[in-house]
Amino acid sequence: MKDHKIVFTGTPGAGKTTAIAALSDVPPVTTDVRNSDPGLAKEHTTVGLDFGQVDLGDGQMVRLFGTPGQMRFEFMWRILAKDALGLVVLIDNSRPDPLADLTTYLDAYKDVLPSMNAVIGVGRTLECPLPTLDDFTDLLNARNLVLPVLAVDVRQRDDVLMLVDVVLAQAETRTRACSHQMSTVLIWCEQALETNLASTIAQTSLATSSSWPTR
Amino acid sequence: MADVDGARAALVATPDGFDLARAGEQTVDAGRLAAMVSSLSALGDAASRETQIGQPRCLVIDSSDGRLVVRSMQFRGEPLIVVLLTDTAALLGMVLNALNAADRQLSNA
């Protein structure tokens, strides 16, 4: 059984807790408390983490971790991202500036994103079609990042599963590319070794023959 | 704080991570500490639920150079988190006793 860790992060109210609850096979662990921030229109908010797990049925178990969304919990973002296979960034398109929201998370994870499997899930795109998915892609491209951007409804299990599948597919592609590179390096090493060995043997033979005592 | 030798700072925070009041050393970033103890407290709640050991009262982080004692309280029906930061000279029993006294005072206020 392969065991993966995928982290859901993103803006408050984007649906990280909902997404994990929608996909998890077990009742999720939640750390929601009553929200006292009048600027955030929701009754409860996550302050620690969410945790769930899903058996994908093909020998792969995925542990799902959700971060708190607010910037003051940024320390949890980094703690939870440690040793993660991938990152799902959820953006709520009904917020005032979804592109700035994405920028916040790209900045926060800038050290790990170039080497991490990641996908951007944009919610509430039907009610709020702007910015478009292309606008998000342009923002990523401007930062030299090539990441999939998908419209999602995190209440739908299939949509959340799609995000997880995208991360797993990226991971598989990276592994294949890495193993292809490793094969190439191994072949090169073998060739170099053979050449070097032949050359070393030739040199040793010469040295040995020349150092043999002559009668 | 005055009742505990070795107390360095005290903080009152909301369960969702905002600092409401502070006392003692100003070197501690109260906003950041409030968010952290909010996470710790919520994780303590989750762990207590998961292991069915009831409602958590207190979390103690016992480190090489001091302690952080986190206690959940109620004030006029509103949940609060009270944190005491101490050095190693502070006796844990005294800290817990002081926090219990503060809890009783807040409950009766």
Side-chain angles (χ1 to χ4, degrees), chain A residues 27 29-37 45 47-49 68 70 72-76 78, chain B residues 14-18 31-32 34-39 42-43 45-46 49-50 77-79:
Chain A
V29 174
T30 59
T31 56
D32 281 14
V33 299
R34 211 170 72 200
N35 171 49
S36 68
D37 180 0
T45 189
V47 295
L49 56 79
Q70 294 91 332
R72 65 181 180 279
F73 295 109
E74 184 259 347
F75 61 93
M76 285 301 296
R78 280 177 285 121
Chain B
T14 63
D16 61 340
F18 291 105
R32 200 167 161 75
M36 286 183 168
V37 295
S38 151
S39 295
L43 287 167
D45 283 354
R49 274 198 309 273
E50 203 67 20
E78 293 295 326

Side-chain angles (χ1 to χ4, degrees), chain B residues 54-75:
Chain B
Q55 189 66 28
R57 284 188 292 268
C58 199
L59 287 169
V60 179
I61 299 175
D62 192 7
S63 300
S64 57
D65 296 331
R67 289 194 188 95
L68 200 59
V69 186
V70 181
R71 172 76 193 247
S72 299
M73 298 186 190
Q74 296 265 334
F75 177 63

Side-chain angles (χ1 to χ4, degrees), chain A residues 2-61:
Chain A
K2 282 187 183 170
D3 192 13
H4 307 295
K5 173 183 179 182
I6 294 180
V7 175
F8 285 68
T9 192
T11 51
K16 300 176 289 294
T17 304
T18 305
I20 289 174
L23 187 57
S24 179
D25 293 336
V26 295
V29 174
T30 59
T31 56
D32 281 14
V33 299
R34 211 170 72 200
N35 171 49
S36 68
D37 180 0
L40 184 61
K42 58 191 290 201
E43 196 173 346
H44 292 92
T45 189
T46 302
V47 295
L49 56 79
D50 297 310
F51 173 76
Q53 58 186 42
V54 58
D55 184 347
L56 296 179
D58 52 358
Q60 299 196 87
M61 177 71 82

Side-chain angles (χ1 to χ4, degrees), chain A residues 171-198:
Chain A
E172 196 174 338
T173 307
R174 273 180 204 263
T175 307
R176 280 188 185 159
C178 187
S179 93
H180 175 71
Q181 278 179 342
M182 280 305 290
S183 308
T184 310
V185 168
L186 279 175
I187 290 167
W188 183 86
C189 282
E190 275 174 16
Q191 287 171 346
L193 197 61
E194 278 172 17
T195 312
N196 203 25
L197 267 180

